[in-house]
Amino acid sequence: MELPTRIPDINGLIVPSMNSNVDLYISRMGFYSLLGMKDDFPYHKHTSKRKFQELYSFSDNTDINEVAQTSENIIKMFIKDRTLANYNKAIGWCVFETIDNARNHANSNINVVFAQRFEQKGITEFCVCDRGLGIRETMGENNIEEALKKCITKARGINSEGMGNGLYYTAELVKKDSSNKCSLKIWSEDAILTIKSGNEPEIVKVDSFWQGVNIVISMYNKITSDLTVLKGGSDIFSYEENPDYYNELFEN
């Protein structure tokens, strides 16, 4: 998506991976259609309705209501059991926060989100990528490792811009979870920060370079964290505070 802005009259050819499962997954997630290409791979494509969120691209200028609707679609897709109140609240928080951050703060004209629920593992994974400023510049640090540490250890509090809580509280959820099935990965430039259930963050340097921020969150449906640490506004996933919204999520 970015190359045509750099190289005029670019042409390309997609070469199959020779692994039908991989090709099928790439195809059904909407990779080719997002690039405006016709998908000629001869695989049966399953419907994505209520199963996964195909690749959705938006920019910092995309109508905020459209982006918010995509966030809601993802949340409704994965919240299927009203008894999993902890999981429901965690998914709602993380989806809204990470997508909102990309839309409002990344300064990126290319943001991509996709998600899938893995029923047998009881895990929902979603990824939000941007090609914006990156963690280092956003956090005002000269060193990428220090910037990654800072973005998950310092909450700025709720303010008019809505900044400062998303990655911090997501990291706290994962660190305090004891299921051993939750994780958070943040890749910016040539460093990846990883947090797994009950563990402190680890940072590794990699050979590849990602301009912007690439975030992958895996959330277990029996997450054990105490979600009272989440701050800000009313709890839309609380039946007592918003019964109409909560019931609508499960009406189907």
Side-chain angles (χ1 to χ4, degrees):
M1 294 175 67
E2 187 174 306
L3 283 175
T5 66
R6 297 184 178 187
I7 306 172
D9 302 321
I10 185 172
N11 291 292
L13 174 68
I14 297 294
V15 180
S17 69
M18 305 307 292
N19 182 327
S20 60
N21 289 331
V22 172
D23 291 333
L24 172 60
Y25 190 78
I26 290 173
S27 174
R28 74 173 187 167
M29 292 305 286
F31 176 77
Y32 305 106
S33 59
L34 187 64
L35 295 177
M37 301 174 59
K38 182 180 179 182
D39 180 4
D40 293 323
F41 291 125
Y43 306 123
H44 176 68
K45 296 172 185 171
H46 301 280
T47 176
S48 63
K49 187 176 181 180
R50 299 191 66 84
K51 293 182 179 179
F52 57 91
Q53 169 64 49
E54 293 184 6
L55 286 157
Y56 168 71
S57 177
F58 60 98
S59 74
D60 51 4
N61 291 319
T62 302
D63 184 84
I64 193 168
N65 293 318
E66 177 186 322
V67 178
Q69 185 59 58
T70 299
S71 299
E72 289 240 340
N73 291 344
I74 294 175
I75 293 168
K76 290 180 180 180
M77 191 180 304
F78 300 129
I79 295 180
K80 297 181 178 180
D81 184 346
R82 69 174 69 237
T83 66
L84 300 174
N86 234 21
Y87 164 82
N88 295 343
K89 186 174 182 180
I91 285 292
W93 169 269
C94 294
V95 168
F96 272 126
E97 284 292 322
T98 51
I99 292 179
D100 181 70
N101 281 347
R103 165 64 173 73
N104 292 316
H105 309 306
N107 192 25
S108 172
N109 62 352
I110 300 177
N111 305 285
V112 176
V113 58
F114 60 101
Q116 183 164 0
R117 181 181 174 110
F118 298 90
E119 296 288 354
Q120 292 184 346
K121 295 180 180 179
I123 291 174
T124 295
E125 293 187 345
F126 65 97
C127 179
V128 180
C129 312
D130 71 66
R131 300 289 288 172
L133 298 173
I135 290 290
R136 187 167 53 84
E137 185 169 340
T138 300
M139 301 307 296
E141 292 286 335
N142 294 322
N143 180 278
I144 184 59
E145 289 100 325
E146 292 303 313
L148 285 168
K149 292 176 184 177
K150 186 176 180 180
C151 79
I152 59 145
T153 56
K154 183 178 180 181
R156 300 179 186 176
I158 296 294
N159 57 36
S160 59
E161 297 179 335
M163 296 176 64
N165 293 306
L167 289 177
Y168 171 76
Y169 283 121
T170 300
E172 289 299 297
L173 293 182
V174 176
K175 286 196 294 184
K176 295 178 180 180
D177 173 65
S178 61
S179 71
N180 202 34
K181 292 188 176 183
C182 296
S183 66
L184 166 66
K185 288 187 178 182
I186 307 172
W187 177 13
S188 189
E189 297 185 12
D190 62 346
I192 299 177
L193 179 147
T194 302
I195 306 176
K196 296 181 179 180
S197 291
N199 292 282
E200 292 298 313
E202 295 182 353
I203 298 177
V204 297
K205 298 297 286 288
V206 292
D207 293 332
S208 300
F209 187 95
W210 184 272
Q211 176 58 49
V213 183
N214 188 331
I215 299 172
V216 182
I217 298 174
S218 297
M219 195 65 66
Y220 185 46
N221 65 14
K222 295 182 181 178
I223 183 173
T224 60
S225 297
D226 178 8
L227 299 191
T228 58
V229 299
L230 298 185
K231 310 292 183 182
S234 63
D235 177 7
I236 63 172
F237 301 102
S238 166
Y239 184 84
E240 290 76 15
E241 292 193 32
N242 201 335
D244 292 337
Y245 183 89
Y246 197 89
N247 286 331
E248 181 185 352
L249 291 175
F250 297 96
E251 66 181 5
N252 296 322

PDB file of all heavy atoms in Angstrom, residues 62-97:
ATOM      1  N   THR A  62      -9.756   9.320   8.229  1.00  0.00           N
ATOM      2  CA  THR A  62     -10.978   8.537   8.057  1.00  0.00           C
ATOM      3  C   THR A  62     -12.018   8.995   9.074  1.00  0.00           C
ATOM      4  O   THR A  62     -11.684   9.267  10.233  1.00  0.00           O
ATOM      5  CB  THR A  62     -10.700   7.041   8.244  1.00  0.00           C
ATOM      6  OG1 THR A  62      -9.697   6.619   7.311  1.00  0.00           O
ATOM      7  CG2 THR A  62     -11.962   6.210   8.005  1.00  0.00           C
ATOM      8  N   ASP A  63     -13.263   9.078   8.632  1.00  0.00           N
ATOM      9  CA  ASP A  63     -14.335   9.520   9.516  1.00  0.00           C
ATOM     10  C   ASP A  63     -14.313   8.723  10.818  1.00  0.00           C
ATOM     11  O   ASP A  63     -14.298   7.494  10.813  1.00  0.00           O
ATOM     12  CB  ASP A  63     -15.690   9.334   8.832  1.00  0.00           C
ATOM     13  CG  ASP A  63     -16.829   9.877   9.676  1.00  0.00           C
ATOM     14  OD1 ASP A  63     -17.092  11.089   9.613  1.00  0.00           O
ATOM     15  OD2 ASP A  63     -17.433   9.070  10.408  1.00  0.00           O
ATOM     16  N   ILE A  64     -14.315   9.434  11.925  1.00  0.00           N
ATOM     17  CA  ILE A  64     -14.173   8.777  13.226  1.00  0.00           C
ATOM     18  C   ILE A  64     -15.330   7.832  13.523  1.00  0.00           C
ATOM     19  O   ILE A  64     -15.161   6.818  14.201  1.00  0.00           O
ATOM     20  CB  ILE A  64     -14.028   9.832  14.346  1.00  0.00           C
ATOM     21  CG1 ILE A  64     -13.563   9.169  15.646  1.00  0.00           C
ATOM     22  CG2 ILE A  64     -15.338  10.613  14.533  1.00  0.00           C
ATOM     23  CD1 ILE A  64     -13.132  10.153  16.700  1.00  0.00           C
ATOM     24  N   ASN A  65     -16.503   8.119  12.985  1.00  0.00           N
ATOM     25  CA  ASN A  65     -17.649   7.230  13.206  1.00  0.00           C
ATOM     26  C   ASN A  65     -17.468   5.903  12.491  1.00  0.00           C
ATOM     27  O   ASN A  65     -17.873   4.852  12.993  1.00  0.00           O
ATOM     28  CB  ASN A  65     -18.933   7.911  12.730  1.00  0.00           C
ATOM     29  CG  ASN A  65     -19.297   9.111  13.573  1.00  0.00           C
ATOM     30  OD1 ASN A  65     -19.198   9.082  14.804  1.00  0.00           O
ATOM     31  ND2 ASN A  65     -19.698  10.193  12.921  1.00  0.00           N
ATOM     32  N   GLU A  66     -16.849   5.939  11.312  1.00  0.00           N
ATOM     33  CA  GLU A  66     -16.572   4.704  10.581  1.00  0.00           C
ATOM     34  C   GLU A  66     -15.580   3.839  11.337  1.00  0.00           C
ATOM     35  O   GLU A  66     -15.751   2.625  11.456  1.00  0.00           O
ATOM     36  CB  GLU A  66     -16.028   5.031   9.187  1.00  0.00           C
ATOM     37  CG  GLU A  66     -15.654   3.796   8.372  1.00  0.00           C
ATOM     38  CD  GLU A  66     -14.994   4.146   7.060  1.00  0.00           C
ATOM     39  OE1 GLU A  66     -15.426   5.142   6.432  1.00  0.00           O
ATOM     40  OE2 GLU A  66     -14.052   3.439   6.663  1.00  0.00           O
ATOM     41  N   VAL A  67     -14.525   4.466  11.850  1.00  0.00           N
ATOM     42  CA  VAL A  67     -13.521   3.721  12.610  1.00  0.00           C
ATOM     43  C   VAL A  67     -14.133   3.170  13.896  1.00  0.00           C
ATOM     44  O   VAL A  67     -13.881   2.026  14.285  1.00  0.00           O
ATOM     45  CB  VAL A  67     -12.313   4.618  12.934  1.00  0.00           C
ATOM     46  CG1 VAL A  67     -11.289   3.856  13.764  1.00  0.00           C
ATOM     47  CG2 VAL A  67     -11.676   5.126  11.643  1.00  0.00           C
ATOM     48  N   ALA A  68     -14.953   3.975  14.560  1.00  0.00           N
ATOM     49  CA  ALA A  68     -15.610   3.520  15.790  1.00  0.00           C
ATOM     50  C   ALA A  68     -16.532   2.339  15.507  1.00  0.00           C
ATOM     51  O   ALA A  68     -16.633   1.406  16.317  1.00  0.00           O
ATOM     52  CB  ALA A  68     -16.397   4.671  16.416  1.00  0.00           C
ATOM     53  N   GLN A  69     -17.199   2.356  14.356  1.00  0.00           N
ATOM     54  CA  GLN A  69     -18.087   1.258  14.005  1.00  0.00           C
ATOM     55  C   GLN A  69     -17.305  -0.032  13.799  1.00  0.00           C
ATOM     56  O   GLN A  69     -17.750  -1.117  14.184  1.00  0.00           O
ATOM     57  CB  GLN A  69     -18.875   1.585  12.730  1.00  0.00           C
ATOM     58  CG  GLN A  69     -19.926   0.541  12.364  1.00  0.00           C
ATOM     59  CD  GLN A  69     -20.957   0.361  13.458  1.00  0.00           C
ATOM     60  OE1 GLN A  69     -21.629   1.311  13.848  1.00  0.00           O
ATOM     61  NE2 GLN A  69     -21.088  -0.855  13.981  1.00  0.00           N
ATOM     62  N   THR A  70     -16.113   0.061  13.194  1.00  0.00           N
ATOM     63  CA  THR A  70     -15.266  -1.122  13.044  1.00  0.00           C
ATOM     64  C   THR A  70     -14.860  -1.667  14.403  1.00  0.00           C
ATOM     65  O   THR A  70     -14.854  -2.883  14.626  1.00  0.00           O
ATOM     66  CB  THR A  70     -14.015  -0.788  12.212  1.00  0.00           C
ATOM     67  OG1 THR A  70     -14.413  -0.362  10.905  1.00  0.00           O
ATOM     68  CG2 THR A  70     -13.109  -2.005  12.082  1.00  0.00           C
ATOM     69  N   SER A  71     -14.530  -0.784  15.331  1.00  0.00           N
ATOM     70  CA  SER A  71     -14.197  -1.219  16.691  1.00  0.00           C
ATOM     71  C   SER A  71     -15.368  -1.968  17.317  1.00  0.00           C
ATOM     72  O   SER A  71     -15.194  -3.028  17.918  1.00  0.00           O
ATOM     73  CB  SER A  71     -13.835  -0.010  17.560  1.00  0.00           C
ATOM     74  OG  SER A  71     -12.719   0.676  17.055  1.00  0.00           O
ATOM     75  N   GLU A  72     -16.561  -1.411  17.164  1.00  0.00           N
ATOM     76  CA  GLU A  72     -17.754  -2.061  17.720  1.00  0.00           C
ATOM     77  C   GLU A  72     -17.987  -3.415  17.074  1.00  0.00           C
ATOM     78  O   GLU A  72     -18.363  -4.380  17.746  1.00  0.00           O
ATOM     79  CB  GLU A  72     -18.966  -1.161  17.507  1.00  0.00           C
ATOM     80  CG  GLU A  72     -18.978   0.076  18.361  1.00  0.00           C
ATOM     81  CD  GLU A  72     -20.191   0.147  19.257  1.00  0.00           C
ATOM     82  OE1 GLU A  72     -21.182  -0.529  18.962  1.00  0.00           O
ATOM     83  OE2 GLU A  72     -20.122   0.856  20.271  1.00  0.00           O
ATOM     84  N   ASN A  73     -17.783  -3.502  15.754  1.00  0.00           N
ATOM     85  CA  ASN A  73     -17.987  -4.762  15.055  1.00  0.00           C
ATOM     86  C   ASN A  73     -17.068  -5.849  15.599  1.00  0.00           C
ATOM     87  O   ASN A  73     -17.477  -7.008  15.774  1.00  0.00           O
ATOM     88  CB  ASN A  73     -17.751  -4.585  13.556  1.00  0.00           C
ATOM     89  CG  ASN A  73     -18.812  -3.739  12.891  1.00  0.00           C
ATOM     90  OD1 ASN A  73     -19.889  -3.517  13.450  1.00  0.00           O
ATOM     91  ND2 ASN A  73     -18.521  -3.252  11.707  1.00  0.00           N
ATOM     92  N   ILE A  74     -15.814  -5.479  15.846  1.00  0.00           N
ATOM     93  CA  ILE A  74     -14.856  -6.447  16.381  1.00  0.00           C
ATOM     94  C   ILE A  74     -15.286  -6.896  17.772  1.00  0.00           C
ATOM     95  O   ILE A  74     -15.291  -8.086  18.094  1.00  0.00           O
ATOM     96  CB  ILE A  74     -13.442  -5.842  16.430  1.00  0.00           C
ATOM     97  CG1 ILE A  74     -12.933  -5.588  15.003  1.00  0.00           C
ATOM     98  CG2 ILE A  74     -12.483  -6.764  17.183  1.00  0.00           C
ATOM     99  CD1 ILE A  74     -11.600  -4.885  14.954  1.00  0.00           C
ATOM    100  N   ILE A  75     -15.671  -5.941  18.601  1.00  0.00           N
ATOM    101  CA  ILE A  75     -16.073  -6.279  19.967  1.00  0.00           C
ATOM    102  C   ILE A  75     -17.289  -7.202  19.968  1.00  0.00           C
ATOM    103  O   ILE A  75     -17.311  -8.236  20.646  1.00  0.00           O
ATOM    104  CB  ILE A  75     -16.366  -4.995  20.766  1.00  0.00           C
ATOM    105  CG1 ILE A  75     -15.070  -4.197  20.958  1.00  0.00           C
ATOM    106  CG2 ILE A  75     -16.975  -5.326  22.127  1.00  0.00           C
ATOM    107  CD1 ILE A  75     -15.282  -2.802  21.482  1.00  0.00           C
ATOM    108  N   LYS A  76     -18.296  -6.858  19.188  1.00  0.00           N
ATOM    109  CA  LYS A  76     -19.502  -7.681  19.140  1.00  0.00           C
ATOM    110  C   LYS A  76     -19.213  -9.067  18.586  1.00  0.00           C
ATOM    111  O   LYS A  76     -19.852 -10.055  18.957  1.00  0.00           O
ATOM    112  CB  LYS A  76     -20.567  -6.994  18.286  1.00  0.00           C
ATOM    113  CG  LYS A  76     -21.155  -5.745  18.930  1.00  0.00           C
ATOM    114  CD  LYS A  76     -22.206  -5.116  18.038  1.00  0.00           C
ATOM    115  CE  LYS A  76     -22.798  -3.876  18.681  1.00  0.00           C
ATOM    116  NZ  LYS A  76     -23.827  -3.236  17.830  1.00  0.00           N
ATOM    117  N   MET A  77     -18.241  -9.139  17.677  1.00  0.00           N
ATOM    118  CA  MET A  77     -17.894 -10.411  17.065  1.00  0.00           C
ATOM    119  C   MET A  77     -17.328 -11.400  18.086  1.00  0.00           C
ATOM    120  O   MET A  77     -17.581 -12.601  18.030  1.00  0.00           O
ATOM    121  CB  MET A  77     -16.867 -10.161  15.962  1.00  0.00           C
ATOM    122  CG  MET A  77     -16.579 -11.340  15.054  1.00  0.00           C
ATOM    123  SD  MET A  77     -15.347 -10.877  13.810  1.00  0.00           S
ATOM    124  CE  MET A  77     -16.118  -9.451  13.034  1.00  0.00           C
ATOM    125  N   PHE A  78     -16.561 -10.878  19.032  1.00  0.00           N
ATOM    126  CA  PHE A  78     -15.835 -11.753  19.933  1.00  0.00           C
ATOM    127  C   PHE A  78     -16.467 -11.898  21.317  1.00  0.00           C
ATOM    128  O   PHE A  78     -16.134 -12.805  22.065  1.00  0.00           O
ATOM    129  CB  PHE A  78     -14.391 -11.276  20.064  1.00  0.00           C
ATOM    130  CG  PHE A  78     -13.669 -11.264  18.752  1.00  0.00           C
ATOM    131  CD1 PHE A  78     -12.980 -10.163  18.318  1.00  0.00           C
ATOM    132  CD2 PHE A  78     -13.719 -12.377  17.926  1.00  0.00           C
ATOM    133  CE1 PHE A  78     -12.327 -10.152  17.099  1.00  0.00           C
ATOM    134  CE2 PHE A  78     -13.075 -12.386  16.701  1.00  0.00           C
ATOM    135  CZ  PHE A  78     -12.373 -11.271  16.296  1.00  0.00           C
ATOM    136  N   ILE A  79     -17.358 -10.992  21.682  1.00  0.00           N
ATOM    137  CA  ILE A  79     -18.044 -11.117  22.962  1.00  0.00           C
ATOM    138  C   ILE A  79     -19.290 -11.964  22.759  1.00  0.00           C
ATOM    139  O   ILE A  79     -20.293 -11.487  22.249  1.00  0.00           O
ATOM    140  CB  ILE A  79     -18.411  -9.725  23.527  1.00  0.00           C
ATOM    141  CG1 ILE A  79     -17.135  -8.960  23.851  1.00  0.00           C
ATOM    142  CG2 ILE A  79     -19.274  -9.851  24.764  1.00  0.00           C
ATOM    143  CD1 ILE A  79     -17.373  -7.577  24.408  1.00  0.00           C
ATOM    144  N   LYS A  80     -19.200 -13.232  23.136  1.00  0.00           N
ATOM    145  CA  LYS A  80     -20.290 -14.166  22.856  1.00  0.00           C
ATOM    146  C   LYS A  80     -20.886 -14.788  24.113  1.00  0.00           C
ATOM    147  O   LYS A  80     -21.898 -15.467  24.054  1.00  0.00           O
ATOM    148  CB  LYS A  80     -19.793 -15.282  21.927  1.00  0.00           C
ATOM    149  CG  LYS A  80     -19.352 -14.793  20.564  1.00  0.00           C
ATOM    150  CD  LYS A  80     -18.903 -15.942  19.685  1.00  0.00           C
ATOM    151  CE  LYS A  80     -18.513 -15.448  18.298  1.00  0.00           C
ATOM    152  NZ  LYS A  80     -18.077 -16.552  17.413  1.00  0.00           N
ATOM    153  N   ASP A  81     -20.228 -14.589  25.242  1.00  0.00           N
ATOM    154  CA  ASP A  81     -20.672 -15.231  26.474  1.00  0.00           C
ATOM    155  C   ASP A  81     -20.779 -14.163  27.559  1.00  0.00           C
ATOM    156  O   ASP A  81     -19.780 -13.636  28.030  1.00  0.00           O
ATOM    157  CB  ASP A  81     -19.672 -16.319  26.882  1.00  0.00           C
ATOM    158  CG  ASP A  81     -20.120 -17.112  28.108  1.00  0.00           C
ATOM    159  OD1 ASP A  81     -21.064 -16.665  28.791  1.00  0.00           O
ATOM    160  OD2 ASP A  81     -19.528 -18.163  28.376  1.00  0.00           O
ATOM    161  N   ARG A  82     -22.013 -13.845  27.962  1.00  0.00           N
ATOM    162  CA  ARG A  82     -22.199 -12.758  28.925  1.00  0.00           C
ATOM    163  C   ARG A  82     -21.617 -13.086  30.303  1.00  0.00           C
ATOM    164  O   ARG A  82     -21.423 -12.184  31.117  1.00  0.00           O
ATOM    165  CB  ARG A  82     -23.678 -12.406  29.046  1.00  0.00           C
ATOM    166  CG  ARG A  82     -24.533 -13.439  29.710  1.00  0.00           C
ATOM    167  CD  ARG A  82     -25.960 -12.950  29.914  1.00  0.00           C
ATOM    168  NE  ARG A  82     -26.684 -12.820  28.652  1.00  0.00           N
ATOM    169  CZ  ARG A  82     -27.241 -11.681  28.237  1.00  0.00           C
ATOM    170  NH1 ARG A  82     -27.142 -10.591  28.960  1.00  0.00           N
ATOM    171  NH2 ARG A  82     -27.896 -11.639  27.113  1.00  0.00           N
ATOM    172  N   THR A  83     -21.322 -14.359  30.570  1.00  0.00           N
ATOM    173  CA  THR A  83     -20.761 -14.718  31.878  1.00  0.00           C
ATOM    174  C   THR A  83     -19.272 -14.393  31.973  1.00  0.00           C
ATOM    175  O   THR A  83     -18.714 -14.373  33.066  1.00  0.00           O
ATOM    176  CB  THR A  83     -20.964 -16.219  32.165  1.00  0.00           C
ATOM    177  OG1 THR A  83     -20.205 -17.006  31.236  1.00  0.00           O
ATOM    178  CG2 THR A  83     -22.434 -16.589  32.071  1.00  0.00           C
ATOM    179  N   LEU A  84     -18.621 -14.163  30.835  1.00  0.00           N
ATOM    180  CA  LEU A  84     -17.197 -13.851  30.835  1.00  0.00           C
ATOM    181  C   LEU A  84     -16.989 -12.345  30.949  1.00  0.00           C
ATOM    182  O   LEU A  84     -16.429 -11.693  30.074  1.00  0.00           O
ATOM    183  CB  LEU A  84     -16.532 -14.380  29.560  1.00  0.00           C
ATOM    184  CG  LEU A  84     -16.617 -15.886  29.328  1.00  0.00           C
ATOM    185  CD1 LEU A  84     -16.044 -16.256  27.960  1.00  0.00           C
ATOM    186  CD2 LEU A  84     -15.869 -16.635  30.428  1.00  0.00           C
ATOM    187  N   ALA A  85     -17.457 -11.785  32.055  1.00  0.00           N
ATOM    188  CA  ALA A  85     -17.459 -10.330  32.212  1.00  0.00           C
ATOM    189  C   ALA A  85     -16.050  -9.751  32.150  1.00  0.00           C
ATOM    190  O   ALA A  85     -15.829  -8.682  31.560  1.00  0.00           O
ATOM    191  CB  ALA A  85     -18.126  -9.959  33.535  1.00  0.00           C
ATOM    192  N   ASN A  86     -15.076 -10.440  32.751  1.00  0.00           N
ATOM    193  CA  ASN A  86     -13.704  -9.947  32.756  1.00  0.00           C
ATOM    194  C   ASN A  86     -13.147  -9.864  31.342  1.00  0.00           C
ATOM    195  O   ASN A  86     -12.556  -8.866  30.933  1.00  0.00           O
ATOM    196  CB  ASN A  86     -12.831 -10.868  33.612  1.00  0.00           C
ATOM    197  CG  ASN A  86     -12.081 -10.104  34.687  1.00  0.00           C
ATOM    198  OD1 ASN A  86     -12.454  -9.003  35.062  1.00  0.00           O
ATOM    199  ND2 ASN A  86     -11.027 -10.701  35.199  1.00  0.00           N
ATOM    200  N   TYR A  87     -13.336 -10.944  30.587  1.00  0.00           N
ATOM    201  CA  TYR A  87     -12.859 -11.008  29.206  1.00  0.00           C
ATOM    202  C   TYR A  87     -13.567  -9.954  28.348  1.00  0.00           C
ATOM    203  O   TYR A  87     -12.942  -9.259  27.549  1.00  0.00           O
ATOM    204  CB  TYR A  87     -13.103 -12.406  28.651  1.00  0.00           C
ATOM    205  CG  TYR A  87     -13.028 -12.533  27.142  1.00  0.00           C
ATOM    206  CD1 TYR A  87     -11.799 -12.666  26.498  1.00  0.00           C
ATOM    207  CD2 TYR A  87     -14.187 -12.526  26.369  1.00  0.00           C
ATOM    208  CE1 TYR A  87     -11.734 -12.786  25.126  1.00  0.00           C
ATOM    209  CE2 TYR A  87     -14.131 -12.650  24.992  1.00  0.00           C
ATOM    210  CZ  TYR A  87     -12.899 -12.776  24.375  1.00  0.00           C
ATOM    211  OH  TYR A  87     -12.844 -12.903  23.011  1.00  0.00           O
ATOM    212  N   ASN A  88     -14.865  -9.847  28.511  1.00  0.00           N
ATOM    213  CA  ASN A  88     -15.635  -8.895  27.716  1.00  0.00           C
ATOM    214  C   ASN A  88     -15.126  -7.467  27.918  1.00  0.00           C
ATOM    215  O   ASN A  88     -14.970  -6.695  26.969  1.00  0.00           O
ATOM    216  CB  ASN A  88     -17.118  -8.968  28.096  1.00  0.00           C
ATOM    217  CG  ASN A  88     -17.740 -10.305  27.753  1.00  0.00           C
ATOM    218  OD1 ASN A  88     -17.191 -11.060  26.963  1.00  0.00           O
ATOM    219  ND2 ASN A  88     -18.870 -10.604  28.361  1.00  0.00           N
ATOM    220  N   LYS A  89     -14.869  -7.122  29.159  1.00  0.00           N
ATOM    221  CA  LYS A  89     -14.407  -5.768  29.458  1.00  0.00           C
ATOM    222  C   LYS A  89     -12.993  -5.551  28.916  1.00  0.00           C
ATOM    223  O   LYS A  89     -12.694  -4.487  28.365  1.00  0.00           O
ATOM    224  CB  LYS A  89     -14.438  -5.531  30.959  1.00  0.00           C
ATOM    225  CG  LYS A  89     -14.110  -4.095  31.352  1.00  0.00           C
ATOM    226  CD  LYS A  89     -14.295  -3.881  32.842  1.00  0.00           C
ATOM    227  CE  LYS A  89     -14.009  -2.442  33.221  1.00  0.00           C
ATOM    228  NZ  LYS A  89     -14.175  -2.198  34.665  1.00  0.00           N
ATOM    229  N   ALA A  90     -12.142  -6.569  29.044  1.00  0.00           N
ATOM    230  CA  ALA A  90     -10.763  -6.446  28.571  1.00  0.00           C
ATOM    231  C   ALA A  90     -10.719  -6.281  27.052  1.00  0.00           C
ATOM    232  O   ALA A  90      -9.979  -5.442  26.526  1.00  0.00           O
ATOM    233  CB  ALA A  90      -9.945  -7.671  28.994  1.00  0.00           C
ATOM    234  N   ILE A  91     -11.507  -7.082  26.341  1.00  0.00           N
ATOM    235  CA  ILE A  91     -11.552  -6.972  24.884  1.00  0.00           C
ATOM    236  C   ILE A  91     -12.063  -5.592  24.475  1.00  0.00           C
ATOM    237  O   ILE A  91     -11.500  -4.923  23.605  1.00  0.00           O
ATOM    238  CB  ILE A  91     -12.451  -8.071  24.289  1.00  0.00           C
ATOM    239  CG1 ILE A  91     -11.722  -9.417  24.324  1.00  0.00           C
ATOM    240  CG2 ILE A  91     -12.859  -7.735  22.861  1.00  0.00           C
ATOM    241  CD1 ILE A  91     -10.537  -9.497  23.387  1.00  0.00           C
ATOM    242  N   GLY A  92     -13.140  -5.157  25.110  1.00  0.00           N
ATOM    243  CA  GLY A  92     -13.699  -3.854  24.781  1.00  0.00           C
ATOM    244  C   GLY A  92     -12.702  -2.738  24.980  1.00  0.00           C
ATOM    245  O   GLY A  92     -12.549  -1.850  24.132  1.00  0.00           O
ATOM    246  N   TRP A  93     -12.013  -2.788  26.109  1.00  0.00           N
ATOM    247  CA  TRP A  93     -11.034  -1.751  26.417  1.00  0.00           C
ATOM    248  C   TRP A  93      -9.894  -1.750  25.400  1.00  0.00           C
ATOM    249  O   TRP A  93      -9.568  -0.714  24.810  1.00  0.00           O
ATOM    250  CB  TRP A  93     -10.468  -1.986  27.816  1.00  0.00           C
ATOM    251  CG  TRP A  93      -9.275  -1.132  28.131  1.00  0.00           C
ATOM    252  CD1 TRP A  93      -7.965  -1.432  27.920  1.00  0.00           C
ATOM    253  CD2 TRP A  93      -9.279   0.182  28.687  1.00  0.00           C
ATOM    254  NE1 TRP A  93      -7.152  -0.402  28.312  1.00  0.00           N
ATOM    255  CE2 TRP A  93      -7.935   0.601  28.794  1.00  0.00           C
ATOM    256  CE3 TRP A  93     -10.287   1.038  29.118  1.00  0.00           C
ATOM    257  CZ2 TRP A  93      -7.572   1.841  29.312  1.00  0.00           C
ATOM    258  CZ3 TRP A  93      -9.915   2.279  29.640  1.00  0.00           C
ATOM    259  CH2 TRP A  93      -8.578   2.661  29.723  1.00  0.00           C
ATOM    260  N   CYS A  94      -9.296  -2.922  25.169  1.00  0.00           N
ATOM    261  CA  CYS A  94      -8.103  -2.998  24.331  1.00  0.00           C
ATOM    262  C   CYS A  94      -8.395  -2.662  22.873  1.00  0.00           C
ATOM    263  O   CYS A  94      -7.601  -1.980  22.214  1.00  0.00           O
ATOM    264  CB  CYS A  94      -7.481  -4.389  24.434  1.00  0.00           C
ATOM    265  SG  CYS A  94      -6.820  -4.775  26.055  1.00  0.00           S
ATOM    266  N   VAL A  95      -9.523  -3.140  22.357  1.00  0.00           N
ATOM    267  CA  VAL A  95      -9.873  -2.854  20.971  1.00  0.00           C
ATOM    268  C   VAL A  95     -10.068  -1.354  20.772  1.00  0.00           C
ATOM    269  O   VAL A  95      -9.493  -0.741  19.865  1.00  0.00           O
ATOM    270  CB  VAL A  95     -11.143  -3.625  20.542  1.00  0.00           C
ATOM    271  CG1 VAL A  95     -11.664  -3.112  19.206  1.00  0.00           C
ATOM    272  CG2 VAL A  95     -10.843  -5.118  20.450  1.00  0.00           C
ATOM    273  N   PHE A  96     -10.885  -0.743  21.626  1.00  0.00           N
ATOM    274  CA  PHE A  96     -11.148   0.684  21.492  1.00  0.00           C
ATOM    275  C   PHE A  96      -9.865   1.508  21.626  1.00  0.00           C
ATOM    276  O   PHE A  96      -9.621   2.424  20.831  1.00  0.00           O
ATOM    277  CB  PHE A  96     -12.155   1.150  22.547  1.00  0.00           C
ATOM    278  CG  PHE A  96     -13.588   1.016  22.123  1.00  0.00           C
ATOM    279  CD1 PHE A  96     -14.493   0.325  22.901  1.00  0.00           C
ATOM    280  CD2 PHE A  96     -14.038   1.586  20.944  1.00  0.00           C
ATOM    281  CE1 PHE A  96     -15.818   0.190  22.520  1.00  0.00           C
ATOM    282  CE2 PHE A  96     -15.363   1.467  20.543  1.00  0.00           C
ATOM    283  CZ  PHE A  96     -16.252   0.769  21.339  1.00  0.00           C
ATOM    284  N   GLU A  97      -9.051   1.173  22.618  1.00  0.00           N
ATOM    285  CA  GLU A  97      -7.880   1.991  22.904  1.00  0.00           C
ATOM    286  C   GLU A  97      -6.840   1.915  21.787  1.00  0.00           C
ATOM    287  O   GLU A  97      -6.293   2.937  21.368  1.00  0.00           O
ATOM    288  CB  GLU A  97      -7.252   1.552  24.234  1.00  0.00           C
ATOM    289  CG  GLU A  97      -8.017   2.015  25.454  1.00  0.00           C
ATOM    290  CD  GLU A  97      -7.962   3.522  25.629  1.00  0.00           C
ATOM    291  OE1 GLU A  97      -6.908   4.120  25.368  1.00  0.00           O
ATOM    292  OE2 GLU A  97      -8.984   4.111  26.013  1.00  0.00           O
TER     293      GLU A  97
END
